[in-house]
Amino acid sequence: MKMLSKNIAREFKMSRARFISVSALLMLGVFVLIGLNATGPNMRHTAQQAYTAEHLADAEVSSTVALNAKDRSTIQNLDGIKTVEFGHTTDMVIKNSSHALRIQSNPDKLSQMTLTKGHQAKTDDQIVLSNQLRGRYRLGDTITLATGKAGKTSGLNHKTYTIVGFATSTEYLKKDKLGSTSLGNGSLYGFAYVKASAFKSTKPNVARLAFTKTKGEAYSTAYEHHAATLTDKLQKTLNRRNCARVTSLRNDLNDEISTAEAQIQRNERALTAATKRLTTAQTQLTAQLKQAQAANSSTALTQLKTQQQKLTAQKKALKTKQTALTTAKSKVADARAQKATLDDVTLNIESRNNYNDGYNNYGEDASRIDALGKSFPAFFFLIAILVCFTTMRRMVEEKRIEMGTLRALGYTKGEVMREFLIYSVGTALTGTIIGSYLGLVTLPRIIFRAYTANFNFSTLKLALHPGLVGLGLLLALLSTVLASWLAARQSLKLVPAELMLPKAPVSGSRILLERVTPIWRKLSFSYKVTARNLFRYKGRMLMTIIGVAGATALMITGFGIRDSLNTIVNRQFSQISQYDLVAVYNPNATQTAVKKAQQSVTDASTVKRQTAVYFENVYATTANSDSRESVSLMVPKTPSQLDQYIKLRDVSSGKRSQLSNHGAIVSQKLAKLQGVSVGDTFKLKDTDGTAHQIKVAGITTMYAGHDVYMNQTYYTKVYGHAATMNAYLVSLKKSTTSKVNDFAKQFNQHEAAVQTVRSQDAKQTITNILSNLNNLILVLVLSASLLSLVVLYTLTNINVSERVRELSTLKVLGFYPKEVLMYIYRETNILTGVGILVGVGVGYAFHAYIMGLLPPSTAMVAPGLTWLNVGISVGLTVLFSLVIMVMMNHKIQSVDMLEALKSVD
């Protein structure tokens, strides 16, 4: 037993290179398997802890008007709701700037803030700002707010506030894109909290809800399905309440208008009569004054002047009443305008996925990591298993004579096999331990830092994931222990005498090339031997090709992810979207306000061109998903002008698409998610859940966003009323970020302005995803490169080790060192070349598969790869092959010929 232990220790010492290479292969496989599959759950668990700590609301009810007692009662009595917290919110701008802030009342139970410095607002003139403004303001500073719109009154009691704290909130997870607003440049600059008493109105306009039963954690299928199902159900209840309150408001306004108009008519008649009386009295008084002056009667003049004073006072009172009448008419006009906007009054409920952009984006980021975790590790482990399997079987074959000797000395089969099993378990444990540590700690942190650069999460919550570690260990053991056990078991079936003889070499046979006599005759001896050896050792040939192909394909895919995402930015925002922003206004506002908003676009000197459209944000749902897909619905006033702003091109033919009276043109990704083609139908839903059946007349190429385009005739057919133009597609003379922001700021100052949708926002979203993926891509490419290096080294080392006698014979026969090296490496070069060619093909296919899973739901990626990407991947593989050749040259030249050629009989 002691001798066996020494023998095992000697084997570990003498085959360090093989031990390290096999462990490295397994380490890479375990590293990628655990790292990619653990990061997504870790990210979700980190978010869940933050949501739990702040009691993030499961849903939010928003209203365009204040919630009255009946509204609040309806919300409090909604089924499936455990906790309701009402609050106030309004958007304001920082005075003398275009920076918009969302001001909210201090939360109590739900969606609480996390203070990073200072304390909550305790008086009406104190304010807590979002943490990202901490570098621009300090505690004790004052901030002055303004409405940001002409004619708009502030909903706050104060204009200037003292900053008493900074905070983060899981309602605003992102640092760069907090949400959209109708103020400033259209994007929120930050958020803030004040006391509820700081608001003028005592009626809230928002309600945060917590579900009675939350099924599963955030982002789990159970939770998201429950949230989507419940909010859809509750929306119907709120729709009924909204319909009732709109009817009530309309009736109240009608009564108010009728009463006011009747009073105005009475007052007008009275004022008209009074005006006539005063005019007549003034005429008579003027005549009497002239007569008294002519008669020079001082008594009469005194009396007449007194009457004139009374008459002047009556005129002044009449003028005051006329002013009051004008004011009353203005109030009636305001009431009529308010009545016209009642159709815009909404009462909507949204789950976290919809009211919280950061929540949705973070979940999609984690899902993208999950998608990689289901594909990349399979490739890595497949290659590692195949190579490790070959290596361990080769190790057993090298020990054939030693096994026979031990059996002849009386050792049992189990004792002989122990060396291989311990060695195999050692490599598996080493690779799994190192790979598990790197996969559980290092890779998740790298990915988390990359993906949360734009989020407010600071530290990733790590977890052990014993299931993944166990799976990694199992795969490692199968690829080493199973291989060595099978090979040793097969060999130990032989009697010791036969086992002590070297294994007979693989019998040679004529290959197909030998039958092509003209070519075969022209080949030199070395090339003929190479050709025969390639097909003589078919297992090694396949292992080399598969290993090189797999590593090359992984590098091509890694580089290709970046190529494809760059394709989105270039094709969408250079070739398809030709406008800078959509300026949306409320056509139901007063005529004066609407006209001013329109003229701010049509008469602007910075505008290159513009066209009127109807624009609306709607959504679509899919059968296999609980998330809503936001869709931009657009109806151009002049369809012939649309091509100047958006290039609608048929996805199949590439020809220009024309709007039809019998259907809509749908963007490519939306059609894919809905599973529809030309002639099919699907449902678009308004914000209140009302569904409309849409027929697909065409599918247009679109790489970012979901869009539906209709002409006015088809819109009227679907919605039952004509489309009222409410927006402009705008192209500026200079499309820089600052110019776009300046234009958005000027437009949003108008009373009728609703929002500005900037094309650069979608571009920035894609760019952020691309930058988030950079570090991950770097890790994957480095892992694939290291895998390629280790595979080439391991297989070449096996090739050299099992052919030492051949090499020694060649050296004895007088072959030059270079010829001996190329005797081995000529085969390796050919197999590497074949592996690269196969890898390019597999890389294209694998990349297309990955890009079907990886992009966000709003993006469509062309799976094409650049030649630069392919060239870099192939170049790295060739470089690794040359490095291995240099390393193997030393081993080949240092072979002891006499020792290798000793008889083994």
Side-chain angles (χ1 to χ4, degrees):
M1 294 297 293
K2 187 175 181 181
M3 188 274 288
L4 281 178
S5 299
K6 287 184 177 179
N7 194 45
I8 293 172
R10 187 184 302 111
E11 179 59 29
F12 275 94
K13 183 178 180 181
M14 299 299 294
S15 59
R16 265 197 220 99
R18 178 170 58 209
F19 184 87
I20 292 173
S21 64
V22 173
S23 298
L25 283 170
L26 296 174
M27 179 271 292
L28 284 172
V30 173
F31 165 67
V32 175
L33 171 70
I34 294 179
L36 291 182
N37 283 286
T39 303
N42 285 351
M43 288 175 66
R44 286 187 284 271
H45 181 62
T46 299
Q48 177 61 40
Q49 286 193 336
Y51 301 153
T52 302
E54 293 187 0
H55 302 285
L56 178 65
D58 294 306
E60 184 177 281
V61 175
S62 59
S63 175
T64 49
V65 295
L67 299 170
N68 60 32
K70 289 184 178 180
D71 297 334
R72 297 195 292 273
S73 176
T74 300
I75 294 170
Q76 287 172 328
N77 293 321
L78 290 173
D79 292 335
I81 302 302
K82 177 177 63 176
T83 306
V84 177
E85 182 176 335
F86 295 100
H88 298 75
T89 180
T90 186
D91 290 352
M92 303 286 285
V93 296
I94 300 173
K95 190 175 181 179
N96 299 325
S97 78
S98 61
H99 297 151
L101 297 179
R102 181 150 295 162
I103 314 298
Q104 300 178 104
S105 56
N106 287 335
D108 181 25
K109 300 175 183 177
L110 300 177
S111 297
Q112 300 168 350
M113 72 179 88
T114 298
L115 287 165
T116 57
K117 193 173 184 181
H119 59 81
Q120 286 191 14
K122 297 179 180 178
T123 62
D124 290 356
D125 60 350
Q126 292 182 344
I127 193 170
V128 173
L129 297 181
S130 51
N131 193 58
Q132 56 262 44
L133 301 181
R134 190 167 165 180
R136 302 174 182 86
Y137 297 94
R138 293 179 299 178
L139 294 181
D141 288 352
T142 58
I143 185 170
T144 303
L145 304 177
T147 60
K149 280 189 183 296
K152 181 182 177 182
T153 57
S154 172
L156 298 173
N157 288 319
H158 298 276
K159 293 182 179 179
T160 302
Y161 293 84
T162 302
I163 300 169
V164 296
F166 297 94
T168 61
S169 170
T170 48
E171 277 197 340
Y172 302 93
L173 287 176
K174 300 190 74 174
K175 296 177 181 177
D176 60 337
K177 190 178 179 183
L178 300 177
S180 59
T181 177
S182 62
L183 303 179
N185 61 13
S187 296
L188 286 177
Y189 182 65
F191 58 91
Y193 296 99
V194 296
K195 286 193 69 178
S197 55
F199 287 84
K200 289 180 179 178
S201 174
T202 57
K203 296 179 180 179
N205 60 352
V206 66
R208 298 180 178 90
L209 314 178
F211 297 152
T212 302
K213 295 180 179 179
T214 52
K215 300 181 178 180
E217 292 191 339
Y219 304 112
S220 67
T221 302
Y223 175 82
E224 300 301 339
H225 179 70
H226 177 67
T229 304
L230 184 57
T231 51
D232 286 345
K233 177 184 175 183
L234 298 180
Q235 183 63 61
K236 296 176 182 177
T237 303
L238 294 179
N239 286 345
R240 290 192 292 271
R241 172 57 204 153
N242 189 56
C243 183
R245 72 171 180 168
V246 168
T247 301
S248 176
L249 287 171
R250 182 174 283 112
N251 291 336
D252 291 344
L253 286 172
N254 284 336
D255 292 342
E256 181 183 332
I257 292 170
S258 298
T259 303
E261 285 182 336
Q263 185 65 41
I264 287 171
Q265 289 176 359
R266 288 194 296 270
N267 290 340
E268 281 183 333
R269 287 194 296 269
L271 287 172
T272 301
T275 302
K276 287 180 179 180
R277 286 196 302 271
L278 289 174
T279 302
T280 302
Q282 182 65 59
T283 302
Q284 293 173 351
L285 186 60
T286 302
Q288 290 174 358
L289 280 170
K290 288 180 179 179
Q291 292 175 0
Q293 288 173 351
N296 197 19
S297 174
S298 58
T299 303
L301 284 173
T302 301
Q303 292 176 347
L304 290 173
K305 285 181 180 178
T306 302
Q307 292 178 15
Q308 181 64 59
Q309 290 174 353
K310 291 179 179 180
L311 190 61
T312 301
Q314 290 175 358
K315 285 183 178 180
K316 186 175 181 181
L318 181 63
K319 190 174 182 180
T320 301
K321 290 180 179 180
Q322 288 174 335
T323 302
L325 181 63
T326 302
T327 302
K329 287 181 178 180
S330 176
K331 289 182 177 179
V332 169
D334 290 343
R336 289 186 180 279
Q338 188 177 351
K339 180 181 173 183
T341 61
L342 286 180
D343 290 337
D344 300 324
V345 172
T346 58
L347 184 63
N348 295 328
I349 182 172
E350 295 178 313
S351 65
R352 291 175 180 175
N353 251 328
N354 302 304
Y355 83 80
N356 190 332
D357 285 341
Y359 177 92
N360 186 39
N361 294 153
Y362 186 83
E364 287 187 347
D365 285 346
S367 296
R368 275 190 280 276
I369 304 300
D370 292 339
L372 290 175
K374 290 179 174 64
S375 47
F376 266 86
F379 243 77
F380 269 80
F381 246 116
L382 176 63
I383 297 168
I385 287 174
L386 290 174
V387 175
C388 289
F389 214 85
T390 302
T391 304
M392 299 312 298
R393 289 182 69 88
R394 175 57 194 163
M395 172 189 171
V396 173
E397 291 174 2
E398 287 179 357
K399 293 288 186 176
R400 176 187 176 92
I401 297 174
E402 181 182 299
M403 291 166 64
T405 304
L406 291 174
R407 288 287 289 131
L409 292 174
Y411 288 95
T412 64
K413 292 181 179 180
E415 290 172 333
V416 174
M417 194 180 288
R418 185 189 306 162
E419 175 184 348
F420 308 114
L421 296 180
I422 291 177
Y423 191 93
S424 302
V425 171
T427 56
L429 286 175
T430 302
T432 301
I433 291 171
I434 299 174
S436 295
Y437 175 79
L438 295 175
L440 290 172
V441 178
T442 306
L443 184 56
R445 285 178 174 170
I446 292 174
I447 298 174
F448 183 76
R449 278 197 297 268
Y451 270 88
T452 56
N454 296 320
F455 290 91
N456 286 318
F457 296 117
S458 57
T459 305
L460 177 67
K461 305 297 182 183
L462 299 175
L464 183 58
H465 298 285
L468 289 174
V469 175
L471 177 60
L473 179 59
L474 177 62
L475 291 172
L477 291 173
L478 286 175
S479 58
T480 55
V481 176
L482 181 62
S484 57
W485 180 79
L486 289 174
R489 179 173 173 270
Q490 186 68 27
S491 296
L492 290 172
K493 288 180 180 180
L494 304 174
V495 295
E498 186 179 351
L499 198 57
M500 291 173 68
L501 296 174
K503 187 177 181 180
V506 179
S507 58
S509 60
R510 287 170 62 85
I511 61 176
L512 181 62
L513 189 61
E514 290 186 55
R515 303 181 190 279
V516 186
T517 307
I519 297 177
W520 185 255
R521 285 179 178 176
K522 292 182 180 180
L523 294 178
S524 65
F525 168 76
S526 297
Y527 283 96
K528 287 180 179 179
V529 171
T530 299
R532 285 196 177 113
N533 283 340
L534 285 174
F535 294 96
R536 187 179 184 188
Y537 301 101
K538 294 182 180 65
R540 188 175 64 234
M541 177 184 71
L542 288 174
M543 288 302 102
T544 304
I545 292 174
I546 292 173
V548 173
T552 305
L554 287 171
M555 285 190 286
I556 288 175
T557 301
F559 286 121
I561 291 172
R562 181 179 175 84
D563 290 344
S564 294
L565 290 175
N566 272 329
T567 298
I568 298 177
V569 176
N570 180 49
R571 296 189 182 183
Q572 179 66 37
F573 301 103
S574 297
Q575 302 174 17
I576 297 176
S577 297
Q578 305 289 311
Y579 66 92
D580 294 307
L581 74 162
V582 183
V584 186
Y585 60 89
N586 181 7
N588 294 323
T590 62
Q591 290 184 355
T592 303
V594 170
K595 188 174 182 179
K596 286 182 178 179
Q598 292 173 334
Q599 289 177 341
S600 71
V601 176
T602 56
D603 298 344
S605 60
T606 57
V607 173
K608 181 179 180 181
R609 58 176 177 265
Q610 46 76 26
T611 187
V613 298
Y614 171 76
F615 179 89
E616 185 179 1
N617 290 315
V618 293
Y619 71 92
T621 56
T622 54
N624 57 350
S625 174
D626 292 312
S627 62
R628 296 178 179 181
E629 299 299 339
S630 297
V631 180
S632 296
L633 172 61
M634 209 172 289
V635 182
K637 182 178 181 180
T638 310
S640 59
Q641 294 181 1
L642 186 62
D643 194 62
Q644 299 178 48
Y645 305 88
I646 303 169
K647 305 294 182 183
L648 299 182
R649 298 294 180 265
D650 184 80
V651 71
S652 300
S653 65
K655 295 180 180 179
R656 180 176 173 178
S657 299
Q658 300 291 342
L659 296 179
S660 164
N661 293 339
H662 308 290
I665 294 177
V666 181
S667 58
Q668 185 179 0
K669 187 60 177 282
L670 179 60
K672 181 179 179 182
L673 291 175
Q674 293 295 317
V676 295
S677 55
V678 176
D680 295 338
T681 60
F682 70 102
K683 291 181 179 179
L684 276 184
K685 295 182 179 181
D686 300 333
T687 53
D688 63 0
T690 304
H692 303 276
Q693 201 77 13
I694 307 297
K695 184 177 181 181
V696 180
I699 299 175
T700 184
T701 301
M702 198 72 64
Y703 294 97
H706 299 318
D707 301 278
V708 173
Y709 301 91
M710 303 177 184
N711 64 14
Q712 296 183 65
T713 301
Y714 186 66
Y715 178 89
T716 303
K717 182 179 178 181
V718 171
Y719 285 85
H721 59 82
T724 303
M725 300 301 114
N726 68 340
Y728 288 97
L729 287 175
V730 181
S731 292
L732 301 178
K733 293 177 181 178
K734 294 183 179 180
S735 300
T736 61
T737 301
S738 61
K739 294 295 182 183
V740 173
N741 287 340
D742 288 344
F743 180 85
K745 175 186 174 184
Q746 293 298 324
F747 176 78
N748 283 329
Q749 287 178 348
H750 293 281
E751 182 183 350
V754 174
Q755 65 172 331
T756 50
V757 182
R758 299 174 297 176
S759 62
Q760 62 182 238
D761 289 342
K763 182 178 180 179
Q764 186 61 45
T765 299
I766 301 299
T767 303
N768 287 342
I769 293 172
L770 177 62
S771 61
N772 290 344
L773 282 171
N774 279 341
N775 287 346
L776 176 59
I777 291 171
L778 178 62
V779 171
L780 293 177
V781 169
L782 287 176
S783 299
S785 301
L786 187 58
L787 180 69
S788 176
L789 186 64
V790 175
V791 165
L792 284 170
Y793 174 81
T794 303
L795 295 176
T796 305
N797 189 44
I798 291 173
N799 194 13
V800 171
S801 298
E802 66 184 8
R803 299 171 69 182
V804 169
R805 290 174 64 83
E806 281 184 60
L807 296 174
S808 298
T809 301
L810 292 176
K811 294 177 77 171
V812 169
L813 291 175
F815 278 67
Y816 290 107
K818 183 179 178 181
E819 291 177 313
V820 175
L821 175 64
M822 293 309 298
Y823 180 82
I824 290 291
Y825 230 82
R826 192 176 292 112
E827 299 173 25
T828 303
N829 288 341
I830 293 172
L831 295 177
T832 300
V834 174
I836 288 173
L837 292 176
V838 174
V840 170
V842 174
Y844 266 85
F846 189 52
H847 171 260
Y849 168 74
I850 289 294
M851 294 317 297
L853 301 174
L854 193 60
S857 60
T858 56
M860 193 76 192
V861 182
L865 298 170
T866 65
W867 284 109
L868 178 62
N869 163 24
V870 177
I872 293 174
S873 301
V874 170
L876 286 173
T877 304
V878 172
L879 177 63
F880 297 149
S881 180
L882 293 175
V883 170
I884 299 302
M885 183 172 71
V886 173
M887 295 172 63
M888 287 297 108
N889 180 52
H890 174 73
K891 181 173 182 177
I892 291 172
Q893 303 309 329
S894 61
V895 169
D896 188 335
M897 294 177 289
L898 295 178
E899 186 69 27
L901 292 173
K902 282 182 179 178
S903 174
V904 294
D905 296 327

